Amino acid sequence: MPDNKTHVYLMPGMAANSSIFDGIHLPENSFETHKLDWFLPEKGMPLQDYAEKMCEFIHHPNPVLIGVSFGGMLVQEMAHFIQPKKIVVVSSVKSKHELPKKMIFAKYTKVHKLLPTGLVNNVELLAKYAFGEAVTKRLHLYEKYLSVRDKGYIDWSIDQMVNWNQEVPPPNTVHIQGEKDTVFPIVNIKDCIKVKNGTHTMIIHRAKWFNDNLPTIISE
């Protein structure tokens, strides 16, 4: 039988696993979702090489790639190696020109290399890095979401974000950004679908918005 469904691959953000997408449910008659997870990079591995290796987990032609935060950068890099039907970046950026000033500052001062990433088992600290917000409630949930706690991976991820050099996003890229995102403030973002009161973790906390809107966004 021919496969008439649109295959949607979901890539979580830094340090997060694919359980952040547990609330995302697209109509099963039209879509089939596939969750991706981070693997540990080789030492000194460029993001482009990592993206090429991640493409080995894509098993359908012309998929839709949805990436959150750092995962949004990664799926844009993956588009150099496969032909996605559409790329949807969530709580992320589309070029180095949309990076916040503190990341641009870090690029030139290397201050990010002084971050205490050895404390990755401190969930509150990890959530500050990954989600950009202080976490005092529901720590057990964040422990579930933030399971990639390898210091080498965290150092690599922060360095790749700070030094991301993309000038122009790939074709067919759609950007969804929360108006209250503190990691990638919307003031720096151009050409995006704005989510009122959306924060950096809106893929978790505003899953209903995505379930209501993603089918149309993907199909347009």
Side-chain angles (χ1 to χ4, degrees):
M1 288 179 62
D3 184 359
N4 295 321
K5 292 185 179 181
T6 298
H7 291 272
V8 180
Y9 284 80
L10 305 169
M11 187 72 221
M14 186 187 83
N17 59 57
S18 56
S19 69
I20 68 166
F21 298 110
D22 283 355
I24 303 301
H25 304 290
L26 302 179
E28 293 182 3
N29 59 328
S30 302
F31 303 95
E32 187 170 335
T33 57
H34 311 270
K35 294 177 180 177
L36 299 170
D37 276 300
W38 296 100
F39 57 85
L40 297 185
E42 298 166 18
K43 190 168 184 179
M45 191 177 204
L47 186 60
Q48 293 80 2
D49 291 359
Y50 190 97
E52 185 175 16
K53 194 165 180 60
M54 184 62 80
C55 287
E56 295 174 10
F57 299 96
I58 305 293
H59 303 301
H60 302 89
N62 307 120
V64 172
L65 303 178
I66 298 180
V68 174
S69 191
F70 181 40
M73 298 181 188
L74 178 64
V75 296
Q76 292 175 76
E77 293 292 342
M78 290 167 67
H80 294 294
F81 304 102
I82 58 174
Q83 283 75 49
K85 175 183 177 183
K86 185 162 283 189
I87 301 165
V88 182
V89 297
V90 178
S91 307
S92 189
V93 294
K94 301 184 294 302
S95 77
K96 67 179 185 180
H97 305 292
E98 294 183 342
L99 289 169
K101 288 179 181 176
K102 62 184 177 183
M103 287 192 186
I104 296 169
F105 176 76
K107 176 178 181 177
Y108 292 105
T109 62
K110 311 298 182 191
V111 68
H112 61 290
K113 294 185 180 294
L114 302 177
L115 291 171
T117 52
L119 303 175
V120 290
N121 283 318
N122 179 327
V123 176
E124 289 186 51
L125 184 66
L126 187 58
K128 186 71 176 171
Y129 290 163
F131 292 157
E133 41 193 70
V135 178
T136 52
K137 300 176 183 176
R138 295 181 291 188
L139 264 181
H140 65 287
L141 273 182
Y142 288 91
E143 286 180 341
K144 169 189 167 187
Y145 296 134
L146 297 171
S147 63
V148 190
R149 300 185 192 174
D150 179 87
K151 176 179 170 15
Y153 162 82
I154 300 295
D155 288 341
W156 173 84
S157 298
I158 294 171
D159 197 51
Q160 297 302 318
M161 272 192 281
V162 165
N163 289 291
W164 198 47
N165 212 30
Q166 177 164 282
E167 287 279 354
V168 179
N172 300 321
T173 298
V174 178
H175 190 170
I176 304 172
Q177 195 73 4
E179 291 183 343
K180 294 187 176 180
D181 193 309
T182 57
V183 176
F184 298 115
I186 201 163
V187 67
N188 301 316
I189 308 294
K190 294 185 173 70
D191 303 321
C192 69
I193 298 169
K194 297 179 181 180
V195 178
K196 189 175 182 180
N197 296 322
T199 67
H200 198 65
T201 54
M202 64 183 180
I203 195 71
I204 300 168
H205 304 303
R206 300 288 298 278
K208 184 180 185 302
W209 186 96
F210 286 92
N211 291 335
D212 289 345
N213 291 280
L214 273 178
T216 303
I217 290 169
I218 290 171
S219 301
E220 281 180 340

